[in-house]
Amino acid sequence: MFPVHRPRRLRVRSALRDLVQETSINMRQLIYPMFIRSGKDHQIPIRSMPGIYQWSLDRALEHVAVVQETGVRAILLFGIPETKDPLGQGAYDPDGIVQQALRTLKQHFPQLILIADLCLCEYTDHGHCGVVKDGTIDNDESVKLLAKAAVQQALAGADMVAPSDMMDGRVAAIRQSLDQHGLVNTAIMSYAAKYASAFYGPFREAAENTPEFGDRRSYQMNPANRREAWREVDLDVLEGADLVIVKPAMAYLDVVSDIKARVTVPVVAYQVSGEYSMIQAAAGHGWLDLRQAVEESLLSIRRAGADLIITYFAPQYGQWLQQVR
Ligand code: PBG
């Protein structure tokens, strides 16, 4: 082979390297998660996620304006309500925090794609993603409430709802109740393969949803399983998911790759809070270069097959793209 074949020929200068680059990241592929809380004039730092805040709606409007300038076109909303209860009523209250945010953001930023995270865990006093009955999570009762919440989110202006609860059958129930309300164009981006992961650690501080007892392993997936993700994704697509999410991203790139080959709907990977915090922490110590590490992590997720990436780095990445190197 050698000396005929010299792969380095295509690496000798940057224009050549760019010409043969296989994967890239475009701002239109990134989705930025935001935490909205009730009250006024709040920008509360999340200690474990430097640069990420809980925003009251008035301040969120200012932040979204800045974020949009960086090229972000889609945001994913999480709500932190004032009060919590066993049935997570804030999730399906027409005036719940996320519903208020959706209405206001839709009005101020009609071009922005609004995605509502759909789960009960931020709204229940016990912090679980469903209704608790006799110490366990009742699947079918939870699904009913999720379907109600989806309708309220869609009525308030969500372009997509993103169920992250991992109850069985929720995508079908959500699709049915959206359609019954004439909300046929509200898309469902389902967290289809969501693992019970330690990498959600910092999110628990951000969304104040730590389970009061037990953990989420009776509904989220076992990190040891690969083929089970195919099954979860198949079911969600059959039930009507318009996009499917694999979550977390970097520790599950094999799953992202499998799912990309398996389905024809867009594949989304969620670079979760712990992935963000690890990179931030190491960069904060000067142990790695933030920009290079972020770019490489996003490229790896795209290379594995993700069409879209949910990432807390989205606005930061957009700012870097606008700077000359
Ligand atoms: C809630 C939800 C979680 C995340 C998104 N939606 C946390 C969990 O399941 O415990 C995690 C996001 C992140 O870590 O960035 N259902």
Side-chain angles (χ1 to χ4, degrees):
M1 295 297 157
F2 184 82
V4 174
H5 290 282
R6 288 179 183 270
R8 290 186 56 197
R9 265 184 212 124
L10 297 181
R11 296 182 205 136
V12 291
R13 62 194 182 95
S14 98
L16 262 177
R17 291 193 293 272
D18 289 350
L19 190 70
V20 298
Q21 177 164 329
E22 298 174 32
T23 312
S24 59
I25 308 150
N26 190 301
M27 284 306 288
R28 71 185 154 74
Q29 298 156 336
L30 303 185
I31 299 167
Y32 177 55
M34 277 183 70
F35 302 98
I36 312 288
R37 67 175 303 134
S38 43
K40 263 204 158 75
D41 204 27
H42 292 307
Q43 178 184 351
I44 303 172
I46 296 153
R47 279 180 19 261
S48 53
M49 300 178 75
I52 303 296
Y53 302 87
Q54 293 178 348
W55 303 91
S56 57
L57 191 44
D58 53 335
R59 299 290 301 278
L61 287 176
E62 298 165 23
H63 183 55
V64 170
V66 174
V67 162
Q68 216 180 16
E69 285 300 306
T70 71
V72 169
R73 297 195 198 173
I75 61 174
L76 171 64
L77 293 175
F78 293 94
I80 298 112
E82 211 151 352
T83 58
K84 306 190 184 213
D85 60 73
L87 297 177
Q89 294 192 48
Y92 40 94
D93 179 343
D95 282 317
I97 182 67
V98 162
Q99 283 73 279
Q100 286 180 37
L102 287 163
R103 274 193 291 271
T104 310
L105 288 168
K106 189 67 159 202
Q107 209 180 356
H108 285 77
F109 305 98
Q111 304 298 328
L112 194 67
I113 293 167
L114 300 178
I115 308 169
D117 187 86
L118 174 50
C119 197
L120 300 183
C121 65
E122 297 122 59
Y123 305 93
T124 50
D125 50 9
H126 46 72
H128 276 290
C129 301
V131 179
V132 178
K133 230 189 208 164
D134 306 326
T136 61
I137 314 306
D138 187 313
N139 190 87
D140 301 11
E141 286 306 310
S142 307
V143 165
K144 285 180 201 156
L145 300 183
L146 290 162
K148 262 170 78 169
V151 169
Q152 291 307 325
Q153 293 178 334
L155 287 173
D159 298 287
M160 297 187 196
V161 295
S164 64
D165 51 284
M166 287 300 278
M167 297 300 128
D168 294 331
R170 90 278 205 210
V171 173
I174 291 165
R175 183 71 274 156
Q176 194 187 9
S177 68
L178 287 173
D179 288 354
Q180 276 167 357
H181 288 80
L183 300 160
V184 297
N185 284 325
T186 307
I188 301 175
M189 182 169 91
S190 82
Y191 291 75
K194 176 173 177 179
Y195 287 88
S197 172
F199 294 104
Y200 308 149
F203 181 92
R204 304 271 158 96
E205 181 195 341
E208 302 177 7
N209 70 337
T210 309
E212 201 170 53
F213 64 91
D215 53 41
R216 302 202 200 289
R217 282 182 291 185
S218 80
Y219 40 103
Q220 298 180 352
M221 289 171 56
N222 180 345
N225 295 354
R226 182 169 179 171
R227 291 169 60 243
E228 190 186 0
W230 310 354
R231 181 162 189 236
E232 282 285 5
V233 167
D234 286 352
L235 288 171
D236 279 13
V237 171
L238 280 172
E239 289 180 29
D242 299 283
L243 309 86
V244 289
I245 306 177
V246 175
K247 174 183 177 188
M250 274 180 84
Y252 297 85
L253 293 180
D254 55 336
V255 178
V256 173
S257 166
D258 286 355
I259 299 309
K260 179 55 173 273
R262 193 169 176 91
V263 300
T264 52
V265 297
V267 175
V268 187
Y270 196 144
Q271 183 177 52
V272 300
S273 56
E275 302 179 66
Y276 175 87
S277 300
M278 284 194 298
I279 295 174
Q280 283 286 6
H285 280 89
W287 295 338
L288 46 72
D289 179 85
L290 183 66
R291 180 170 176 175
Q292 285 178 24
V294 169
E295 183 151 44
E296 188 174 329
S297 72
L298 296 175
L299 274 175
S300 77
I301 298 166
R302 289 270 302 135
R303 195 187 64 237
D307 298 297
L308 309 177
I309 305 174
I310 303 169
T311 175
Y312 301 94
F313 287 119
Q316 169 69 269
Y317 188 76
Q319 272 172 1
W320 285 329
L321 288 185
Q322 287 167 1
Q323 289 164 10
V324 268
R325 264 199 210 248

